[in-house]
Amino acid sequence: MQYSSKIAAALLTSLVLSVSCASNPSDSPVNSSDSSSQEISTDVTATPDPCAGSATPTLVETGTVETGTVEAGTIETGTVETGTVVAQTIRYFVDNSGLAIRGTDPVAYFTQGGPVAGSTEFTHTWNNATWQFATAENRDLFVANPEQYAPQYGGFCAWAVSQGYTASIDPNAWRIVDGKLYLNYNKGVQRQWERDIPGNISQANANWPGILEES
């Protein structure tokens, strides 16, 4: 009786396997993935194929991973405008406080006929020097046209520049020649410079501003 039961069970198992193998797995519909999808087989499992009768590695599909399309955003860097820096080719004589003409009003030489002390109330920064003025009007005149009122040769001694070097100045040793202000180290040096003003100016013009590189 037990032997007959085993035979019956074997026949039933064989029948089930026959029906299973008759179904072709490739006939089952496969959903087509979107163009932005990517099918990734993530594992290979060695499982026995009951139809083949031997252990054959088969690919086990673990599902479709939607990858999508990532659009890289455009990064606008923008344009950084940098100001144009004009090279400073002229250096002005200043005292220990950074004042041009030792704080004397440059416009006063022209409008008042002589040196007048400037005020900390009326100042203007130009060519890396601080210029002081006796009045707001003088300051505004200078701001409108600094080259007209600033002393020649960067405010250095006119005699020294004619001789090929630079030296400090005394605001009281001054003279206006052809509408331009010239300063000297002191009044004694000024008298020496005045012995040949045209010649000394011509020689100083030839030396300036090249001597700044040597001083």
Side-chain angles (χ1 to χ4, degrees), residues 27 32 37 39 55 71 73 79 88 127 137 143-144 201-202 214:
D27 294 338
S32 60
S37 301
E39 292 187 359
E71 295 184 359
T79 302
Q88 179 66 43
N127 271 4
E137 290 77 11
V143 171
I201 289 178
S202 177
E214 303 171 2

Side-chain angles (χ1 to χ4, degrees), residues 49 98 108 119 129 133-134 138 144 154 171 175 184 189:
D49 186 352
S119 169
F133 307 89
N138 283 2
R175 181 160 179 170
N184 277 286
V189 171

Side-chain angles (χ1 to χ4, degrees), residues 19 24 42 52 77 80 92 101-102 106 111 126 147 156-158 201:
V19 173
N24 190 351
T42 59
T77 59
V80 178
Y92 271 78
I101 323 179
R102 302 188 187 280
T111 60
W126 180 70
E147 288 84 0
F156 291 98
C157 173
I201 289 178

Side-chain angles (χ1 to χ4, degrees), residues 107-128:
V107 178
Y109 288 103
F110 297 87
T111 60
Q112 295 179 247
V116 176
S119 169
T120 56
E121 184 179 357
F122 309 110
T123 64
H124 177 65
T125 301
W126 180 70
N127 271 4
N128 296 329

Side-chain angles (χ1 to χ4, degrees), residues 11-135:
L11 292 175
L12 180 59
T13 300
S14 176
L15 179 62
V16 171
L17 290 177
S18 299
V19 173
S20 176
C21 293
S23 299
N24 190 351
S26 62
D27 294 338
S28 58
V30 177
N31 294 330
S32 60
S33 61
D34 188 26
S35 59
S36 62
S37 301
Q38 180 179 358
E39 292 187 359
I40 302 176
S41 296
T42 59
D43 196 7
V44 176
T45 305
T47 57
D49 186 352
C51 299
S54 62
T56 304
T58 58
L59 291 178
V60 177
E61 186 176 315
T62 59
T64 301
V65 178
E66 297 281 345
T67 59
T69 301
V70 179
E71 295 184 359
T74 302
I75 301 176
E76 296 186 3
T77 59
T79 302
V80 178
E81 295 184 0
T82 56
T84 302
V85 179
V86 180
Q88 179 66 43
T89 57
I90 302 299
R91 185 177 79 242
Y92 271 78
F93 167 75
V94 295
D95 61 16
N96 293 333
S97 300
L99 298 176
I101 323 179
R102 302 188 187 280
T104 305
D105 185 339
V107 178
Y109 288 103
F110 297 87
T111 60
Q112 295 179 247
V116 176
S119 169
T120 56
E121 184 179 357
F122 309 110
T123 64
H124 177 65
T125 301
W126 180 70
N127 271 4
N128 296 329
T130 299
W131 304 76
Q132 290 187 339
F133 307 89
T135 65

